[in-house]
Amino acid sequence: MTVNHGGRLQPDYFRSYLLLIMSSQDCSINCASDFMLKTFFHGNPKKFGLESYKSFQIAVQSFNKES
């Protein structure tokens, strides 16, 4: 997937991505979050900018609020 480094990725983007990972890997939000940090962010939360990382955190927290 190509990601524009100049744009701020929104929480809905990350929520959809996390749902896809959870479905395909049959895992929890914690597992999907760890997987995304390793593969999408390549271990660097600032890779796509601080605002995008904050959006990622908001998306993860939205799953925790549903539980």
Side-chain angles (χ1 to χ4, degrees):
M1 171 191 320
T2 303
V3 176
N4 181 358
H5 288 264
R8 176 180 180 248
L9 299 171
Q10 300 296 314
D12 287 341
Y13 173 87
F14 289 111
R15 187 168 169 78
S16 295
Y17 205 125
L18 288 161
L19 282 169
L20 180 64
I21 294 168
M22 290 165 57
S23 176
S24 66
Q25 301 290 322
D26 192 30
C27 67
S28 68
I29 184 60
N30 292 333
C31 171
S33 175
D34 289 345
F35 180 84
M36 216 169 154
L37 284 169
K38 290 176 190 168
T39 60
F40 183 83
F41 288 101
H42 299 278
N44 179 6
K46 296 179 183 177
K47 181 175 177 88
F48 298 105
L50 187 56
E51 290 300 316
S52 290
Y53 183 66
K54 286 180 184 178
S55 291
F56 170 72
Q57 291 176 314
I58 290 168
V60 171
Q61 289 171 0
S62 74
F63 284 97
N64 292 329
K65 289 179 183 178
E66 290 177 2
S67 299

